[in-house]
Each structure stands twice: as C-alpha cells, then as structure tokens.
Amino acid sequence: MFKKRLLRVELVALCLSFLLGIAAPAAFRVSAEAETSLWLVTEETAADEMNAVVEFIIQQFQQEHPGVSIRMDILPNQEQAREESLQHIREEMENGTGPDLYLLPTGTTLTLDHPQKYTYRRIDPLFPDVAAAMELGAFADISAYYDRDTDLDKDGLNQSVMDAGSLDGARYVLPLRYGMPMLYAFDELLADAGISKQTLEGSIESIMCEAVQTRNLNLAYCADMASATVFSNLLTRGEGALRVDQVADYMKDYQALKALIGTESLHLSRFDYLAYKAGPKSLRSVYRGTISDALNFLAVEKASGLTLSMYPLRTTTGDAMAFVTYYGAVGSSCQSPELAYEFLRQFLLEDVQWEKGRNMMDGEWPLSPMEDGWPVRTQGSVKALLANIQGNLSADSAYQPLANLYLSDDSLPILETKIDLVCFPVQTDFEKLLSQLNNYNDANTPADVDIDALAEEFITGLQGA
C-alpha cells in the first residue's frame, strides 16, 4: 500500500554526496546499541524535491547509528488507497503505535513525476489542521532536546516561524519551510500605473477597495486572493473571533473586484524570470506572489535595471502573515523521542536548508526553493540558494545571464520584516463559496446570491472544524 523508493537511494547518494559531511554533534549522538526502529511517514514528491533528501538522510543516519533502522512510508495519493492508509495510520495513533516521525507539507496539492512530469494531485492531508493536532496530542514535546541543542545555531533560524511549532511552552513541531504572501513592485512603473507605495502598504481589503474605486486593473490583479488566510483571526475562539459581518464585507468587496477583472485569468499564473525574458515590454508595475518567488523578481530587477520593492500582502486587519509550508514532528507514541529528534534536526542544518548539491534547474520553477517554501534558516539563505543555481547553469541555459548575478540577504530585506502572525494552513470551503459570487459565463458580473448567508455558512463551517 505504501510506496518505497529503495531503488533511488543509490542515485540520491551520488546526487547528494555533499551531505556526507553532515553529522550530529556529540551532544546529540544517541546511543542505540540495541535494535531500534523508527517509522517515518511522508508524502510523495518530484525527484528533485524532498523525497530524495529524506532518503539520503535516512541512509546516512543508519550508517552513523548501527542498530537503527528507519522505515520510510510514502503515503499513496490515489483516493481509495489513500483513504485506507490514512485510516490505518489514525487507528495506529489511537492505539499508541503510530508513526515515530512525520515529514509533511501543509498544502493539498502534490507535484509528481508520473504519469508525466509535473502532474498535480489534490490530496486530503493526514493532519488537515496541524495546530489542532498539536492541541490534541498527536506529537511529542521535543522542547527539552531542542532547547539544549546548542550546536544547531538557532540564531540563524527565523524565530517567528519556528515559534509556530510551540504551544503553551511545549515544542511539538519543527517548521522547515515557510511562505509569505507578498507584493513585488517596480518603482519606476508605479506612477504610470496610478499606484502609490502607500497603497501597497495597506491591507488586502483596502487594496481591493481602491482597485474597484479607481478601476485599476493592475491593482485589482494583486488583490485577487481567494484564500481564507486573508483573515488574521480565522481560527480565533471567543473574544476576537471572526464574525459573519467581517466575512460578508470581504465577500462584497471580492465580488466587485471579480466583476472588474472579468474572466481574465492570466494574472493568476505564477510569474517567473523566463516570462520576463519572453516579453519584457509587458512587465506590470506590481505582482502578487509569495516569498518563494523572490529570486525570480530579484533576477528581473537586475536584468531590467528597475528598482524592486517588496511588501507583505497584509491581512484584512493589516497583519503581515506567514504560513508553514513543510514541517517535521515526532509522534507522541514514539519510544525513542531523543533519537527521533536527532534525525529530525538534520533538516534544519545549512546543507539541507539551503539545498546544497541540488540541481534547481531540473525543477518546475528553477529559481524557487524546495517544496515551494523559503528555508527557515534565513540567515545566509539568499546567497546560498543563488550559488546552487549558478553552479548548475549550462552555457546554453536561458538563465545564463544570472551567472554573474550577486545577491545577499541585503537583497531581500523582506526577510527582516516583522511577521505579526505565523500559522499552519487549514482547509476551508472559502474558495468554493467565493466562486458563487459572480457569473463566470456572463463576464463575471455579480450573481444574485445571499452574501450574508454565504458568510454565515463559512463561519458555521469554521466553528465545526
């Protein structure tokens, strides 16, 4: 039922030989004279993504720890097989015999290599709400091991993101990658587009309202965000909880925004460096993206000679929000939690975080970090990720102009921006409800729907989550 990539291990050993130097410091080399087995559960990825790294780390860890074996199970992504597997794992968890380790994305879409490269598959996550899983005791408290891990160089980690894995003084999850909704603007083009920097510093809702009032399409494209993460208080209970009127107000603004945009959808496509090279004259003044798109925009800045500015795309209440895209955790039933932590910490070390040895040019988005998330080891990350790219450029590569590009952390000041809120994404029906607001077959004109009832339905769904 579970897939195992045993055949690829030898290839991984060759491709990721850089990792041979990674070894746990003496303080975290746990004695394992007796036979010890760890059960790890993860999702399937493309060949150049996380599966290859995990397999290599397993191989190396077992070599360094005689007597330790790690069983890696990759969850199936076909609906029936997946449902059966998730049920089996959840039963094991209830019986106290669940997995020892989890390495999982928080998203609901996998990018696979079959039946053809870049096949997308929607999935139901093992943990639809990671924060709730922490509260319910699915994971072990690893704070004792993390706190005394003085060799981890925690100063280089984004502490705001790392703290998302803690609850009531206990640390249950190690975030490994994160995303952050952003606006990328080219200063010299803003004035002609009728957009001010002050506007871009506002909330998503204020940007929507201005776009509709001024009928500014470029601004409207940036505010077209059909995600419940626009609400800072999405899962707040009691005082300060998200209200029906707040959701209804956003829906009304979004309905007007979609009516302005019509059925145009190219603005929803992901921007990359090659898109600029193909049509530099069509460069817009501002784009919506995430922090994972930063290298693409920095490359365009250098190629175009324009000045790039970056802004967090703030929630309806003005918060700069980030979200964990990939994480690791130790299962609450794990009998060797210290050993499991020692394995997990490998994914926070520089070589893994910065993807050293990975040929980023083989990926779907060559200038984007692994698993569509920026490494939580942010200090030094920009230069290191760019070095990977430059080390894999061929003479005929369309990215060859990047060979002499120099970037450092100073090139990405958004890394120093105060993050007000870090969350784990949760699955909601918000996008589905928003799709009812406009008549797509009639140029996206406003539909005759009861918006207050749709907002009430959304809040009811949240309360039942």
Side-chain angles (χ1 to χ4, degrees):
M1 185 128 357
F2 293 108
K3 297 181 180 179
K4 289 195 175 185
R5 303 286 184 85
L6 300 178
L7 187 60
R8 193 188 294 166
V9 169
E10 293 183 4
L11 294 175
V12 174
L14 293 174
C15 297
L16 301 180
S17 59
F18 68 92
L19 289 171
L20 287 171
I22 296 178
F28 279 91
R29 290 195 191 122
V30 181
S31 175
E33 296 179 3
E35 290 291 330
T36 304
S37 177
L38 296 175
W39 175 19
L40 182 152
V41 168
T42 191
E43 296 284 3
E44 184 176 356
T45 70
D48 65 314
E49 292 282 340
M50 191 62 80
N51 283 170
V53 177
V54 176
E55 287 171 344
F56 189 86
I57 295 295
I58 288 175
Q59 184 186 54
Q60 177 183 278
F61 195 81
Q62 292 177 153
Q63 289 174 350
E64 295 174 351
H65 298 77
V68 174
S69 64
I70 299 178
R71 164 190 164 193
M72 171 174 156
D73 283 340
I74 298 178
L75 295 170
N77 46 68
Q78 296 294 335
E79 186 173 354
Q80 182 175 349
R82 184 177 184 85
E83 184 178 341
E84 293 173 358
S85 296
L86 296 187
Q87 181 179 351
H88 167 71
I89 290 174
R90 287 165 180 158
E91 288 174 353
E92 293 283 350
M93 292 171 64
E94 289 178 4
N95 294 332
T97 55
D100 300 292
L101 286 159
Y102 302 98
L103 283 166
L104 296 169
T106 59
T108 58
T109 302
L110 303 179
T111 303
L112 309 175
D113 288 335
H114 61 85
Q116 60 188 16
K117 198 169 177 64
Y118 309 135
T119 292
Y120 300 104
R121 182 89 63 194
R122 286 191 64 84
I123 59 164
D124 292 323
L126 175 60
F127 300 107
D129 185 339
V130 179
M134 288 195 289
E135 290 183 12
L136 294 172
F139 311 126
D141 178 8
I142 55 174
S143 54
Y145 316 123
Y146 181 85
D147 291 346
R148 75 165 190 256
D149 193 349
T150 56
D151 294 303
L152 189 57
D153 183 22
K154 284 171 272 190
D155 288 342
L157 302 173
N158 187 313
Q159 295 303 318
S160 295
V161 178
M162 296 305 297
D163 287 346
S166 297
L167 179 67
D168 297 331
R171 186 174 297 275
Y172 297 106
V173 169
L174 293 182
L176 302 177
R177 305 262 154 184
Y178 76 100
M180 185 175 179
M182 287 176 54
L183 296 175
Y184 294 92
F186 296 101
D187 292 355
E188 292 83 351
L189 305 181
L190 287 177
D192 288 342
I195 300 173
S196 70
K197 291 187 175 183
Q198 183 178 2
T199 294
L200 302 181
E201 292 170 348
S203 70
I204 175 73
E205 203 155 19
S206 67
I207 293 174
M208 274 202 299
C209 291
E210 182 170 332
V212 171
Q213 291 170 0
T214 61
R215 303 196 64 77
N216 189 315
L217 279 175
N218 193 173
L219 199 57
Y221 294 156
C222 296
D224 188 358
M225 191 169 176
S227 169
T229 56
V230 297
F231 301 114
S232 297
N233 54 344
L234 181 63
L235 294 179
T236 303
R237 306 292 186 183
E239 186 178 355
L242 186 62
R243 302 190 310 270
V244 170
D245 63 296
Q246 291 174 321
V247 177
D249 286 345
Y250 186 86
M251 286 182 165
K252 292 169 185 175
D253 291 335
Y254 189 80
Q255 183 185 55
L257 184 86
K258 294 301 284 187
L260 172 63
I261 293 173
T263 57
E264 195 280 338
S265 61
L266 287 178
H267 68 281
L268 297 175
S269 301
R270 190 167 179 175
F271 178 86
D272 70 356
Y273 175 75
L274 289 187
Y276 164 75
K277 295 289 287 184
K281 292 184 179 180
S282 62
L283 194 66
R284 298 204 307 266
S285 60
V286 60
Y287 294 81
R288 179 171 67 84
T290 71
I291 195 170
S292 295
D293 301 312
L295 292 178
N296 277 291
F297 283 99
L298 287 170
V300 171
E301 177 187 36
K302 299 297 182 182
S304 66
L306 297 173
T307 304
L308 178 68
S309 293
M310 307 176 193
Y311 306 85
L313 182 52
R314 297 182 179 274
T315 65
T316 56
T317 50
D319 290 324
M321 177 186 285
F323 49 91
V324 178
T325 63
Y326 204 92
Y327 67 96
V330 176
S332 58
S333 59
C334 179
Q335 299 300 302
S336 304
E338 187 171 7
L339 185 68
Y341 170 78
E342 183 185 342
F343 174 82
L344 209 56
R345 73 184 298 279
Q346 307 299 312
F347 296 87
L348 287 173
L349 301 181
E350 287 184 1
D351 286 351
V352 176
Q353 280 283 297
W354 298 340
E355 308 170 27
K356 291 186 178 179
R358 176 191 177 210
N359 187 350
M360 297 176 75
M361 293 294 100
D362 287 343
E364 181 180 17
W365 302 100
L367 301 189
S368 295
M370 188 176 290
E371 299 299 337
D372 199 25
W374 199 265
V376 293
R377 186 167 291 282
T378 52
Q379 195 173 91
S381 58
V382 178
K383 184 178 180 180
L385 291 173
L386 178 64
N388 290 349
I389 296 168
Q390 293 171 329
N392 288 289
L393 291 176
S394 60
D396 60 347
S397 171
Y399 293 90
Q400 184 58 36
L402 306 183
N404 298 318
L405 180 63
Y406 174 80
L407 296 175
S408 68
D409 289 355
D410 291 339
S411 307
L412 192 52
I414 197 76
L415 293 178
E416 298 299 323
T417 295
K418 179 181 180 294
I419 299 175
D420 300 305
L421 181 65
V422 183
C423 66
F424 289 91
V426 294
Q427 316 312 315
T428 73
D429 58 357
F430 193 59
E431 184 174 357
K432 180 180 178 181
L433 294 173
L434 290 181
S435 69
Q436 301 177 41
L437 297 175
N438 297 77
N439 296 308
Y440 183 83
N441 293 326
D442 186 22
N444 251 358
T445 54
D448 184 15
V449 293
D450 187 340
I451 290 181
D452 290 335
L454 290 178
E456 179 72 46
E457 180 180 344
F458 177 67
I459 291 293
T460 300
L462 282 181
Q463 293 171 344

